[in-house]
Amino acid sequence: DPIRFISNHSTGTFGYKIAEEAKRRGERVTLVSGPTPLVPPKGVKFIRTESALDMRRAVAKEFPSSDCVIMAAAVSDWRVDAVAKRKMKKRSAVKFLKLAENPDILGWLGRRKRGKILVGFSLETEDLEKNAAKKLKNKNLDIIVANLFKPGSPVFGDKKTDALVIDSYADMVEARIL
């Protein structure tokens, strides 16, 4: 309904920090962001989106003029198929939601990258190295940054997190990301 939505625990902090650092290093930066209360870094082109479909449109528009795309956004794989126009009250609420698959923005970029550098992120609950390497290959990425989710682990927000970084040559580095 127009009041409730399906989301995840992602804060957007990591993407904003990447944009800030790229700008500090003198790069021309476009930050495409989902809903978050974070303030965009000064001097970056900022595009706010509300949904995965909005983000896909914005990324598609900006992609041709980009040399490198770092997709740190935790875009949901699913969305509600039809949004009710009014708040669904408990008594009249549907007990099941029909879901539609969101576009795979990273996969779409990988099929069109033509020499651009493409970096993806992966949060896994098991088989971190295997699943990250598979995503790196299937989405035609140059680099993937992968985290293993454990209940209570600091993978969202302002905390340090451990990550596995794999490049397209299958070189792996374990890193502590601030």
Side-chain angles (χ1 to χ4, degrees):
D1 64 31
I3 296 172
R4 299 175 188 97
F5 60 94
I6 296 173
S7 187
N8 59 46
H9 297 289
S10 180
T11 62
T13 301
F14 204 49
Y16 278 61
K17 293 289 187 187
I18 292 169
E20 181 178 35
E21 181 61 19
K23 183 63 183 172
R24 189 189 69 75
R25 292 178 182 217
E27 301 299 329
R28 180 180 53 88
V29 178
T30 300
L31 175 60
V32 177
S33 175
T36 178
L38 298 174
V39 176
K42 290 189 187 309
V44 306
K45 179 178 179 182
F46 180 69
I47 302 170
R48 182 177 306 280
T49 63
E50 291 295 320
S51 69
L53 297 176
D54 291 341
M55 185 172 282
R56 162 68 171 70
R57 281 188 289 274
V59 168
K61 182 178 177 187
E62 296 299 317
F63 185 59
S65 63
S66 300
D67 298 318
C68 175
V69 177
I70 302 173
M71 286 290 298
V75 180
S76 178
D77 292 333
W78 302 96
R79 68 180 182 280
V80 176
D81 188 43
V83 178
K85 296 199 184 304
R86 296 181 183 163
K87 181 179 177 183
M88 297 169 63
K89 301 288 187 179
K90 271 188 185 179
R91 290 184 207 124
S92 63
V94 179
K95 301 293 185 233
F96 298 95
L97 296 174
K98 184 176 177 189
L99 301 177
E101 193 170 349
N102 273 324
D104 179 352
I105 302 170
L106 192 55
W108 182 87
L109 292 170
R111 291 188 298 277
R112 290 161 177 78
K113 73 179 203 174
R114 293 177 182 71
K116 297 175 188 288
I117 298 168
L118 187 56
V119 180
F121 286 71
S122 181
L123 179 59
E124 300 291 340
T125 57
E126 60 192 3
D127 299 324
L128 179 67
E129 185 178 322
K130 177 183 164 191
N131 288 330
K134 182 178 177 183
K135 186 173 183 178
L136 175 86
K137 182 180 181 206
N138 290 347
K139 296 186 188 285
N140 194 24
L141 306 178
D142 296 288
I143 299 170
I144 192 160
V145 180
N147 304 91
L148 186 62
F149 177 80
K150 297 175 206 156
S153 66
V155 294
F156 295 111
D158 295 321
K159 299 175 181 96
K160 294 179 185 177
T161 185
D162 292 319
L164 177 65
V165 180
I166 309 173
D167 68 25
S168 58
Y169 300 102
D171 292 332
M172 288 180 265
V173 177
E174 292 197 31
R176 172 137 318 221
I177 298 176
L178 306 176

